[in-house]
Amino acid sequence: MRTGIFYGSTTGMTESLAAKIAARTGVAQTDVHNVADASADEAEGYDLLLLGSSTWGCGELQDDWYDFLDALKRKALSGKRVALFGCGDSASYPDSFCDALAEIRDGLEATGCTFVGALDAAEYDGCTSRICRDGKVIGLAVDDGASEAVSDARMEKWIAAVGF
């Protein structure tokens, strides 16, 4: 199964997370793409897409994601698996914590892809943002305020849920 990681990063946090995920899962650096420089056509060559974004303002995508997502949602992603990851701050923005993941998921819902990598919402104490759905968190949400140990443990659970 060929895996591609596509991320958008403004301050480097999501880029670092993408690199950490790649190292942990064995995804080659050539399969890690910054959406600022990537074409949505590149996603068609992968069976599994790991899509990452930080959240800005009140639940907005990282800037480079807008054009990429518009192009990606016009692709036929039927048969592809998609897992989401991102960075946010639940203490300052509890109602929109990592909502960029929900923006990506909602944008791709009609493409025929299958979303994987949901985590038990109990992992995230008092989750009130759009990433919490039906007792699950739709992807790996790395909290700026969480310890590295907590973030690493969540990442391991997410990697297992994705199916690595």
Side-chain angles (χ1 to χ4, degrees), residues 21-93:
I21 291 168
R24 174 58 184 80
T25 59
V27 173
Q29 270 310 118
T30 55
D31 295 316
V32 180
H33 309 274
N34 185 333
V35 296
D37 306 318
S39 163
D41 292 339
E42 294 174 78
E44 292 179 310
Y46 296 102
D47 305 300
L48 172 61
L49 301 173
L50 306 181
L51 307 179
S53 178
S54 49
T55 298
W56 292 90
C58 292
E60 298 167 20
L61 285 168
Q62 188 271 344
D63 287 341
D64 299 319
W65 261 101
Y66 288 100
D67 290 339
F68 189 83
L69 183 58
D70 281 344
L72 189 59
K73 63 186 173 184
R74 289 192 300 268
K75 301 292 178 191
L77 301 180
S78 183
K80 295 192 185 300
R81 294 177 25 205
V82 173
L84 306 170
F85 68 93
C87 302
D89 180 353
S90 69
S92 298
Y93 303 97

Side-chain angles (χ1 to χ4, degrees), residues 48-50 80-84 105 114-119 137-140 158 161-163:
L48 172 61
L49 301 173
L50 306 181
K80 295 192 185 300
R81 294 177 25 205
V82 173
L84 306 170
R105 182 183 171 98
T114 300
F115 292 99
V116 296
L119 296 174
V137 173
I138 63 174
L140 174 63
W158 177 76
V162 170

